[in-house]
Structures are given as structure tokens and as C-alpha cells.
Amino acid sequence: MLLTDEEKRMLEGQCGKGVMKAMELLVALGKAFDAERLIPVTRTHVALSGQEGDTYWCGLLADGGARCTVIPTTNPAWDVASLTKRYEVTAEELDLALRTVDVYRRIGAALTFCCTPGLGTNIPAFGEHIAFSESSATPYVNSILGARTNRESSVSALAAAVVGKTPLYGFHLDENRRGQFLVRVEAPLGEPYDWGLLGWYVGRFAGSRVPVLHIPHVGSRPSPEALLYLGAELNTSGAVPMYHIVGMTPEAQTLEKAFGGVVPEAEFVVTKRDLREQEDAVSEKGGCINLVMLGCPHYTYAQIREVERLMKGRHVRDGVAFWILTSYDALELASRSGERERLAELGVDLVADTCIDEPCWKSFEGGLGVTDSPKCAYYRERRGQPFVIRRLSGCVEAAVCGEAL
Ligand code: F3S
């Protein structure tokens, strides 16, 4: 791998031990993927998770004197100040959360604690070379915005933020951004939930290949939330950091352009029945619930307003908690505009900075939850809480009657 003189100095430790560690990782990654050199990045996003390994890595770099040169935005951990008033965590869990915040602050990250950077806090332009981690963020910035990032881990994204560079391979190169197989979508698609189910369905057999979705019956452009759901699920049931929608996404104005002149490896059709069967397969059966959890990926302000509309002034059933996880700016807007207070009166709580996959939610384990996100259900079930997956209106009805149908 070709390195400039400055990069060699970094690798030899002449710019500090933290920078050396970051450079070692980028060079190892580059060699593993046959990258010929490093290229500058203009933006970074780090999926800090509040897990020991990520926090250790950040501490290693920060203690070695490293600081971010391309300031990263950060994924959510959890809102220690508000959630410890409601739920119990162990001293170790609290300590890890506090150490995580401290170490990312020390390395110079922008502590946005939000998993939808491409919608607000860190929006790349078409063609920008960036290093983003977070499974819902990478498909959005690659596919919808036309920026160029690999499916980074929190470790490699932080190394890129420190060095300001990333190895030139994968989705930074034209030839790897071409579609590989064609999906003709006949199933009707409306709200974000439908797009999420489609993403989960296609991701299951996509692996890490790039799908090209042909959806001629979708006349108007889907909402940003729908596209976010599509990518989040593609990149959870599969490992798909990029997709095309013919006539909609910027590198797929035509079917030919989406495939870059290459013949698709395969082609198949997705019907309404396929998505219905997918929903049945991925969701728990209904039953009495103790939790409604929305906001994986983080809910936007528009989605918060939609919840209030669907609640129709009704109160959440006793014994059921209803949480909407959102970004700090959407929470602020909902506070200023009144939705937060009105929803609180109905028993619906909003929280920023927080991921569904954190120890603060363990009080609900053992009971049944309901969510509109297969990704949420997937992660929560690993921690011991089964989830029913329903569209938003079904989640709201479950909250009001205490039972998911
Ligand atoms: Fe966001 Fe955590 Fe879900 S980072 S997408 S709330 S798993």
C-alpha cells in the first residue's frame, strides 16, 4: 500500500501514539482489502454504542494524545440523567455509560447521540468521500445522497476521524457501487413500515450485494423516513450499505445506469403476499404488552406528530410504557411546539440520545413489547425481550388497549 511521507511518519509514531494506533488500523484495513492508498474524508460518523470494546478503543487513541481532525458525529448511547430516575441499572452499566461520554468528549467528537445523521446533523453531498458507521445511516448516505462510504465499524470510523483519511476500496470506487441483482417490487408500499418490511425481506438474501429496486408503481418520492427504514432493515437482515431505486436514487436514473452496463446476477419479484408472510415470520404473535418502543432508527419530528395524531387524545393503558426515541433537535422542536407535553399527558414519553439496545431498558425484559421496527425487535430479542412488529397505527392501538393484536 502506498503511503505518503506524512502517513509514514504517523505510522512510525512521530505524531503520537494515538495517531499511530489509528493509522495502524487503517493500513491493516487497506491491506486486507487491497487498497492502493488512503484518501481524505470530509465527514465521519461514529456508531459509539456504549459497549466496552468501542470505549476501550476510543480511550486508547485519546490517551495516546489523538484528537479528531474530521469531527465525527456520534450514535446514541443512553440518557443517563433522565433514565436512571425511572429505571435501575447496575453501577458497572452506569460507569460504562459515563466513561463512554467522557472519552468521546476528550477525543473531540461532536456528541450528537443520534443515529440519523444524514437527516440533520451530518449531511454529505453527492460524491463526498466519508467514513460513516451505523447500519441505518450508511445505506442512506450512499444510496439517497450519493456520498461514498464503506460499511464502517465504530473502530474504523473513529480511526478515519483521527487521521482524516480512509483506505480507497469498496464503495469509494465506481465499480463497486453498481447494482448486482434486480428486485421487481409489486407489493404496495405506503408508510415507512412497508419500506422497512421490504428492506428486511430483500436483505435476507442480498448478503452484502447491491440490490436494484424497480418500483414503477410508486409515483411520488418516498419520505426520508421510509428510505431510512428501507436501508436500516436491508443492513440488519443483510449487510447492504448501498442500494438503488430506478429513476429515484442519484446513481440509478435508468435501469442501465443502475447496473453500469453489467448484466444482473439474478432477478426476482416481491409481492404483497411475500411481505405479509415476512411480517408473520419476523414478528412474535400478539398478546398483552408492557412496552411500546418506537424510534429505531430515531423518530423524526414528523413521526412524533403522527403518533400524537393517531393517539386521538386517548391515554396509554396502565402497566404499559410508551417510549419514542428521537434526536435531540426533534425533541427540542417537540418541546417548543407542545407535542412533548401533550403526549406526556397521554402517557407517551420522548427521550433523546438513547438507543433501544442499552441496559436501561432491561426492566421490561420478560414481558412482551411492540414496535414498528424489525431492527428494534432483532436487537431487543437478543437481550431477552420478544417483540410484536406492527405498523405504527397497530402500535398505538396496542398502547391504548394493552394488547398487540
Ligand atoms: Fe438507532 Fe440504536 Fe436502532 S442506534 S437504529 S436506535 S439499534
Side-chain angles (χ1 to χ4, degrees):
M1 192 172 166
L2 288 173
L3 296 178
T4 64
D5 289 344
E6 187 196 16
E7 290 162 359
K8 284 179 190 160
R9 282 196 294 278
M10 289 180 174
L11 194 58
E12 288 161 2
Q14 294 180 33
C15 301
K17 204 170 168 189
V19 172
M20 182 181 78
K21 285 283 162 205
M23 189 54 117
E24 282 176 356
L25 184 121
L26 294 178
V27 170
L29 197 57
K31 285 183 176 171
F33 286 97
D34 290 329
E36 66 180 39
R37 61 189 168 91
L38 298 173
I39 54 166
V41 290
T42 47
R43 295 172 182 276
T44 56
H45 176 81
V46 177
L48 73 83
S49 57
Q51 290 168 5
E52 199 64 72
D54 297 344
T55 303
Y56 166 79
W57 171 245
C58 188
L60 188 71
L61 302 191
D63 293 345
R67 297 292 176 270
C68 295
T69 58
V70 178
I71 297 169
T73 45
T74 54
N75 248 32
W78 54 283
D79 180 348
V80 172
S82 81
L83 291 170
T84 49
K85 289 184 191 143
R86 306 275 292 266
Y87 305 118
E88 281 190 13
V89 292
T90 65
E92 291 77 23
E93 289 162 345
L94 181 58
D95 175 62
L96 176 57
L98 296 174
R99 278 190 289 119
T100 299
V101 173
D102 173 65
V103 78
Y104 276 92
R105 190 176 282 143
R106 280 200 286 124
I107 206 164
L111 300 182
T112 50
F113 296 131
C114 167
C115 50
T116 56
L119 291 191
T121 50
N122 199 351
I123 307 174
F126 183 85
E128 260 188 271
H129 290 276
I130 62 175
F132 270 37
S133 50
E134 167 47 40
S135 54
S136 58
T138 49
Y140 191 83
V141 296
N142 265 329
S143 315
I144 305 304
L145 303 181
R148 296 185 170 219
T149 179
N150 283 315
R151 191 176 186 267
E152 303 288 352
S153 67
S154 57
V155 169
S156 61
L158 186 63
V162 165
V163 173
K165 295 184 178 180
T166 195
L168 178 60
Y169 76 98
F171 289 95
H172 293 284
L173 299 169
D174 289 346
E175 60 267 32
N176 298 319
R177 298 176 68 83
R178 293 193 289 243
Q180 289 168 282
F181 67 99
L182 179 62
V183 184
R184 294 192 186 277
V185 182
E186 292 178 356
L189 300 170
E191 57 192 279
Y193 179 80
D194 300 313
W195 291 82
L197 270 186
L198 174 66
W200 188 273
Y201 183 84
V202 175
R204 275 178 38 233
F205 47 84
S208 57
R209 294 179 299 166
V210 178
V212 175
L213 307 177
H214 189 51
I215 322 175
H217 61 82
V218 172
S220 58
R221 189 178 171 83
S223 66
E225 292 85 353
L227 296 167
L228 197 63
Y229 270 48
L230 172 65
E233 306 303 344
L234 274 168
N235 211 8
T236 301
S237 67
V240 179
M242 178 153 190
Y243 61 88
H244 299 285
I245 303 176
V246 178
M248 193 178 298
T249 54
E251 291 165 71
Q253 286 311 304
T254 62
L255 196 59
E256 292 69 31
K257 281 192 175 151
F259 284 103
V262 176
V263 178
E265 292 169 9
E267 173 177 336
F268 62 91
V269 174
V270 181
T271 64
K272 182 178 180 180
R273 184 174 168 186
D274 291 328
L275 294 194
R276 181 161 297 162
E277 287 175 359
Q278 178 63 82
E279 182 181 35
D280 289 345
V282 78
S283 172
E284 291 292 323
K285 301 221 176 325
C288 291
I289 58 163
N290 67 356
L291 175 64
V292 181
M293 184 166 252
L294 305 176
C296 175
H298 276 174
Y299 255 31
T300 62
Y301 176 65
Q303 287 173 298
I304 294 169
R305 289 192 70 134
E306 181 63 3
V307 173
E308 189 188 8
R309 188 185 73 78
L310 290 167
M311 286 295 292
K312 297 182 191 144
R314 297 169 296 170
H315 201 280
V316 173
R317 182 84 164 209
D318 282 352
V320 175
F322 190 151
W323 281 99
I324 302 176
L325 282 54
T326 188
S327 61
Y328 67 92
D329 52 336
L331 182 74
E332 174 64 25
L333 199 50
S335 299
R336 291 184 189 188
S337 310
E339 290 86 8
R340 187 181 190 183
E341 195 179 342
R342 290 196 297 272
L343 282 167
E345 283 167 7
L346 303 178
V348 180
D349 287 302
L350 270 57
V351 66
D353 302 343
T354 303
C355 171
I356 54 95
D357 191 29
E358 294 293 342
C360 51
W361 303 117
K362 66 175 176 289
S363 320
F364 298 100
E365 289 166 12
L368 183 66
V370 63
T371 181
D372 64 346
S373 160
K375 180 177 180 181
C376 172
Y378 172 76
Y379 280 108
R380 293 302 309 156
E381 283 174 14
R382 291 189 321 170
R383 286 189 181 260
Q385 181 165 32
F387 267 78
V388 178
I389 304 168
R390 294 288 181 265
R391 61 186 61 248
L392 177 56
S393 54
C395 294
V396 167
E397 294 310 310
V400 170
C401 66
E403 184 178 0
L405 300 175

